[in-house]
Amino acid sequence: MTMQFNTETFRDDYSFRNSDWAIRRFPFPFHEDSYMYSVNMEQHRGGPEGSVYEKRFDVDEHYVSEMHDRALVLAEDPLRCQSLPHMTLAGWDLLELIMVSKSEDYPDLFELHRDGNQWRWINKPLGIDDTFTFLDETTLPYGPMEYITRQTQGDFAVLDQREENLWMDAGMVTTQADWSLDFDIGMNFFEWHAPVPRAHEMGIFKRALKFLLNVQQGSPARRLNWTMTVNPRLDTSPENYHKWGVEKTTLTPENIGAKQHLRVELQTFFRLPRSNALVFPIRCYLIAFQDIVTVPKWGRRLHRVVRDLPEDLADYKGFIANRPLMLDYLSQYDDGLPTSPGVWPDLETEPPLQK
């Protein structure tokens, strides 16, 4: 195996760290110096070599530790993975999509061998070598969706398409930004997005649903979403708010660079072949403020976005109380120089910070 995997935690002592490689490839979500909701969909047809967009399902240095954290969450709360009875075929579709994608995109890490319905799956990083019968649940240790999403970074919402709407009828959700699968299971697209401010009045969700209903097999789409998290905690669920909510009160001028994290979701959308369901992977990436500001363009831009974000959006994204502290820190890395358009670091062309 060519990739080196970190041994790290996303709870308790929070030993999670990004390498320089992980910092440079972080999916920074702001293409300009301000932010407002938009549909911001594009085709998921790869991206620059080494970027998080290059492969269908990104695997990085955090893979093994993220899968360990998922197992801990499921042991504490099995309802983080649910599938309504009619979604079993969609689970097999998802298993096939991920196994084929990973074995093709990372052949040194994953292997898939198929002889009719007799399949052998080898996951080298996790030490898994299983043989099973495709479409026969009795030959797997878990249902097909749970089996493969225990081995895949990010959350997964599996959406049934009917009545000109999308219904969240299955999912694996252990790295979410303050929403609950157990609460949302069985809801439609508008119901589970009900808490989001401004976007309904702006017509964002009507346009997004129209786009998603027309996603075709073989033409996946993607977008980015973002919020803020104190400490690199993956599981910021409502069920565990008593554990992570209080951490927002622990920021100081001395520790904010290390403790405050930008949390970005790479959201992708794949049409599944047999069930016609739409799978919605939500891959979470975390980066500390002190790492963001090592990229001059990102440091300048994040300060401007946080400073100018409307109050209701800052409140919804959970950092309104800590915004003054954030701005005091980030202002040190904004010298007022213009930034180049787009999300890339542009380290070769962006001027260094002018002290």
Side-chain angles (χ1 to χ4, degrees), residues 276-287:
N276 198 44
L278 190 73
V279 64
F280 174 20
I282 309 164
R283 174 67 190 281
C284 172
Y285 296 85
L286 295 163
I287 187 170

Side-chain angles (χ1 to χ4, degrees), residues 162-186:
R162 61 182 188 272
E163 301 171 11
E164 294 299 308
N165 212 325
L166 294 169
W167 302 79
M168 192 180 297
D169 287 348
M172 168 69 86
V173 181
T174 69
T175 68
Q176 70 272 53
D178 200 13
W179 65 277
S180 169
L181 174 67
D182 194 39
F183 184 79
D184 288 354
I185 194 83

Side-chain angles (χ1 to χ4, degrees), residues 18-238:
N18 281 308
S19 67
D20 289 343
W21 171 79
I23 293 169
R24 298 300 180 257
R25 71 193 299 269
F26 186 81
F28 191 72
F30 308 115
H31 68 278
E32 58 186 6
D33 289 353
S34 61
Y35 171 81
M36 182 47 68
Y37 285 128
S38 64
V39 175
N40 71 314
M41 298 280 192
E42 63 180 8
Q43 293 299 304
H44 185 38
R45 295 187 182 277
E49 183 178 355
S51 74
V52 302
Y53 311 105
E54 181 185 9
K55 311 295 188 183
R56 285 164 283 188
F57 296 93
D58 185 44
V59 176
D60 65 10
E61 63 190 30
H62 308 297
Y63 174 63
V64 173
S65 293
E66 286 192 25
M67 295 301 91
H68 177 66
D69 193 77
R70 166 153 293 163
L72 292 176
V73 174
L74 290 170
E76 295 168 355
D77 185 0
L79 291 178
R80 301 296 191 87
C81 182
Q82 298 189 47
S83 180
L84 299 184
H86 64 282
M87 298 300 286
T88 301
L89 183 59
W92 285 109
D93 279 338
L94 178 59
L95 177 144
E96 178 185 47
L97 172 65
I98 293 175
M99 286 186 176
V100 169
S101 298
K102 284 190 168 185
S103 61
E104 291 178 351
D105 292 346
Y106 301 94
D108 58 326
L109 302 179
F110 307 97
E111 296 179 23
L112 177 63
H113 304 276
R114 294 185 282 185
D115 181 7
N117 278 355
Q118 298 305 304
W119 291 22
R120 182 185 178 196
W121 168 246
I122 301 173
N123 179 327
K124 295 178 184 177
L126 297 184
I128 293 170
D129 186 340
D130 285 339
T131 300
F132 62 94
T133 303
F134 186 68
L135 298 178
D136 182 354
E137 283 189 88
T138 66
T139 61
L140 286 175
Y142 307 99
M145 181 193 70
E146 180 173 355
Y147 176 78
I148 197 58
T149 56
R150 280 178 174 265
Q151 304 175 48
T152 309
Q153 289 163 283
D155 288 335
F156 289 82
V158 188
L159 313 176
D160 192 30
Q161 182 164 325
R162 61 182 188 272
E163 301 171 11
E164 294 299 308
N165 212 325
L166 294 169
W167 302 79
M168 192 180 297
D169 287 348
M172 168 69 86
V173 181
T174 69
T175 68
Q176 70 272 53
D178 200 13
W179 65 277
S180 169
L181 174 67
D182 194 39
F183 184 79
D184 288 354
I185 194 83
M187 287 187 180
N188 68 38
F189 187 80
F190 297 116
E191 290 169 339
W192 85 70
H193 282 114
V196 183
R198 294 195 182 216
H200 293 275
E201 296 85 347
M202 296 168 64
I204 297 294
F205 291 125
K206 287 183 178 179
R207 295 198 298 275
L209 178 62
K210 183 178 180 180
F211 179 92
L212 293 173
L213 290 174
N214 289 287
V215 169
Q216 301 298 305
Q217 186 184 349
S219 298
R222 68 185 180 215
R223 68 183 293 269
L224 294 177
N225 193 23
W226 68 278
T227 187
M228 297 285 184
T229 301
V230 176
N231 292 323
R233 180 184 285 273
L234 285 174
D235 176 21
T236 55
S237 59

